[in-house]
Amino acid sequence: YIINNSTNKKLEFQFNPTSVPYSRSAVYTTIDSPGISYPLTQYTGGNIREFPIELFYYDLHYDKNHVRKSSGKIKEARQFLEALLPPEKNTKTFVPPTFTFAYGYFVKTLVLVQLSIDDEWMDEDGQPIQTRFTLTVRQVGS
């Protein structure tokens, strides 16, 4: 699930992500010194941890006339995720909302850097039935 830390609203995954690929790295500097065979290496800090998360939503049901319809799950997920980005209209300042991403043991505080939406299948009214959301996130807390 994802919890918007500003509003405490929660988005539960319809299907668990198949993977959460992430890595952690460090920054080092080299200090040359006369008479030393190998330069000294000193830790100067950590790098930003950024990684993608893919969420898959499927929203198909049939109405009383046996017509395929969307119940709105994808629309709700889209609105929730879009609220984690800066508004499209210019504002004086914007502090991005952090959110908590929890997937098994992996619980991190993140901000949304990019949201890609792929509506893969639509119903007769043009409403999405199958959508993949790809979130590029940045860790801002442990």
Side-chain angles (χ1 to χ4, degrees), residues 5 18 22-23 28 43 118 127 140:
N5 295 333
T18 56
Y22 68 96
S23 63
Y28 297 95
Y43 171 73
D118 184 7
Q127 296 302 310
V140 294

Side-chain angles (χ1 to χ4, degrees), residues 30-41:
T30 302
I31 303 169
D32 292 327
S33 185
I36 295 180
S37 298
Y38 295 96
L40 299 172
T41 299

Side-chain angles (χ1 to χ4, degrees), residues 94-106:
F94 178 78
V95 177
T98 62
F99 62 94
T100 302
F101 174 81
Y103 180 57
Y105 72 91
F106 191 81

Side-chain angles (χ1 to χ4, degrees), residues 34-128:
I36 295 180
S37 298
Y38 295 96
L40 299 172
T41 299
Q42 183 172 359
Y43 171 73
T44 58
N47 278 328
I48 293 172
R49 183 183 292 185
E50 248 183 44
F51 53 95
I53 301 167
E54 185 177 87
L55 302 177
F56 176 76
Y57 275 77
Y58 180 79
D59 188 13
L60 176 65
H61 75 280
Y62 291 89
D63 67 11
K64 62 183 178 184
N65 298 321
H66 303 288
V67 176
R68 289 187 303 219
K69 293 289 181 181
S70 165
S71 69
K73 289 179 194 176
I74 291 172
K75 182 180 178 182
E76 290 172 13
R78 181 188 318 259
Q79 289 172 340
F80 180 95
L81 295 170
E82 286 178 345
L84 297 173
L85 287 169
E88 289 192 44
K89 295 180 181 178
N90 290 335
T91 59
K92 292 180 183 177
T93 59
F94 178 78
V95 177
T98 62
F99 62 94
T100 302
F101 174 81
Y103 180 57
Y105 72 91
F106 191 81
V107 179
K108 301 291 179 192
T109 302
L110 309 168
V111 292
L112 184 58
V113 175
Q114 180 178 348
L115 174 62
S116 298
I117 302 170
D118 184 7
D119 292 326
E120 300 174 341
W121 187 20
M122 310 277 229
D123 68 13
E124 290 80 9
D125 297 326
Q127 296 302 310

